[in-house]
Amino acid sequence: MSRNKTVKEALFRAKKELKESGAGEYKLDAELFMMSAADMSKTSVLTNGDKLLTEKEEELFNSMVLKRKKGVPTQYILGRCEFMGYEFFVNKSVLIPRPDTEVLVETVLKTSEKENFKSIMDMCTGSGCIAVSLALNGIKSVTACDISQSALKTAVKNAEYNNILDKICFIQGDLFQNVDKSLKFDAVVSNPPYIPTGEINGLMREVRDNEPLAALDGGMDGLDFYRRITEDSLEYLADGGYLFFEIGCNQGEDLKKIMTHFGFDGIKIVKDYAGLDRVVFGFKRRGTDVI
Ligand code: GLN
């Protein structure tokens, strides 16, 4: 029987295999899997190379490497992901939070410095990363809505884990379907599905084969959810309330037209750190309440 492997030996083999399989961040991935499988800190993974792995640890580590070689995103394998400096649980029922979406949260928080938002609706919450980050940054009342029951379960778990459950109310439903009509929000924020159906096949295999299609597919032109949410939000926004969306980088002008059509004013497009259009927001013109 061969002896158990050391951390160093297992890492060496994993990095080589991951590199050969084309995983971009193969070194970091291997180290993160080792931290998780052997319950070690980053420092100890890098300095305790001679530590012998138990059979269980080695088995777990190998299974993580194998999944990564098959194209499963690192965050799903670890079951965790960082967003806005907080930690979130992720699984295949929710989209992995993207750094791009931090621009959306930051735009909402910056606007709130002036407008003092007290209540915000996060429509299509998924993992809850937006709702939880807003609540952790001082928004008093956040409502998080999603059509997927399993996504909501993850969002609740994330609110609990980040000790902010008491500030967030969760609603399951197809957009505003189950949201009480008497509720009025100072702002609605959403990162809805926005990839045109015809472009889904051309996405990176990691995204296409692993992330939930329902969180990506925005219909024929990718704008279905923008049209529906913009129209429906009129009924739920306070007078002068704000609507914020994350967008695909070439959807800014189309969304601006949709929001203008439904009576939004002061529409602005915000770029992400790559210099691409990423967020569109505006406010509901006063006196446009739906009767
Ligand atoms: N930004 C995501 C991607 O490019 C899509 C997110 C979405 O559809 N809301 O994969």
Side-chain angles (χ1 to χ4, degrees):
M1 223 177 85
S2 64
R3 69 162 174 81
N4 289 11
K5 280 205 172 55
T6 64
V7 166
K8 202 160 56 185
E9 287 165 346
L11 273 178
F12 181 79
R13 212 198 66 201
K15 286 179 185 174
K16 188 167 171 282
E17 285 182 13
L18 288 170
K19 188 178 179 186
E20 280 164 8
S21 77
E25 299 279 352
Y26 63 94
K27 279 188 194 153
L28 180 63
D29 283 352
E31 285 157 12
L32 288 168
F33 297 152
M34 184 58 77
M35 286 164 68
S36 173
D39 195 18
M40 294 169 84
S41 70
K42 175 113 184 178
T43 319
S44 113
V45 164
L46 298 179
T47 57
N48 274 346
D50 293 334
K51 178 184 133 86
L52 281 179
L53 292 171
T54 65
E55 255 157 60
K56 236 172 129 185
E57 288 167 346
E58 194 177 329
E59 212 174 280
L60 184 55
F61 178 72
N62 289 341
S63 76
M64 292 171 123
V65 173
L66 186 63
K67 280 187 199 156
R68 188 72 196 100
K69 278 162 69 180
K70 287 184 177 158
V72 179
T74 308
Q75 295 91 331
Y76 283 148
I77 299 172
L78 296 170
R80 282 159 196 253
C81 171
E82 198 189 287
F83 180 80
M84 293 290 293
Y86 310 115
E87 198 170 7
F88 291 88
F89 293 105
V90 290
N91 54 59
K92 285 194 175 189
S93 65
V94 300
L95 214 62
I96 296 167
R98 313 282 205 261
D100 298 337
T101 307
E102 294 184 352
V103 179
L104 175 66
V105 174
E106 277 156 9
T107 305
V108 176
L109 291 173
K110 207 166 149 206
T111 312
S112 185
E113 282 172 21
K114 278 190 287 170
E115 301 289 336
N116 192 17
F117 297 144
K118 292 195 178 58
S119 60
I120 297 187
M121 157 66 84
D122 172 22
M123 184 50 79
C124 310
T125 195
S127 66
C129 65
I130 296 172
V132 168
S133 301
L134 291 174
L136 286 170
N137 280 278
I139 305 299
K140 290 207 170 55
S141 159
V142 179
T143 305
C145 189
D146 207 283
I147 193 168
S148 155
Q149 200 66 260
S150 44
L152 273 183
K153 229 173 111 182
T154 309
V156 170
K157 198 170 149 194
N158 281 322
E160 249 170 1
Y161 183 70
N162 284 286
N163 291 315
I164 203 80
L165 194 56
D166 58 327
K167 296 247 170 19
I168 309 177
C169 163
F170 295 89
I171 300 176
Q172 187 277 328
D174 184 8
L175 300 186
F176 288 91
Q177 173 195 35
N178 294 328
V179 184
D180 193 324
K181 289 232 160 60
S182 66
L183 289 177
K184 292 278 181 243
F185 301 98
D186 295 332
V188 170
V189 49
S190 184
N191 174 19
Y194 59 65
I195 311 283
T197 308
E199 289 178 20
I200 299 276
N201 249 329
L203 294 175
M204 281 163 57
R205 88 171 168 149
E206 263 135 331
V207 177
R208 186 193 56 217
D209 297 346
N210 294 281
E211 302 212 59
L213 185 63
L216 295 166
D217 191 343
M220 278 286 279
D221 62 358
L223 303 170
D224 279 6
F225 290 90
Y226 296 127
R227 279 186 282 265
R228 290 179 60 196
I229 295 171
T230 303
E231 181 170 14
D232 293 356
S233 69
L234 287 172
E235 211 167 344
Y236 293 91
L237 278 172
D239 234 10
Y242 278 76
L243 179 58
F244 297 86
F245 282 117
E246 177 174 320
I247 55 161
C249 58
N250 51 11
Q251 292 172 319
E253 289 308 321
D254 288 335
L255 178 52
K256 215 168 156 177
K257 275 189 208 132
I258 294 171
M259 288 176 66
T260 306
H261 171 81
F262 285 108
F264 283 83
D265 256 346
I267 301 169
K268 292 196 176 67
I269 301 180
V270 183
K271 291 189 188 302
D272 61 22
Y273 298 114
L276 302 170
D277 290 351
R278 187 57 62 195
V279 169
V280 176
F281 73 100
F283 55 85
K284 182 177 139 181
R285 212 173 290 149
R286 289 182 191 279
T288 51
D289 259 343
V290 178
I291 314 206

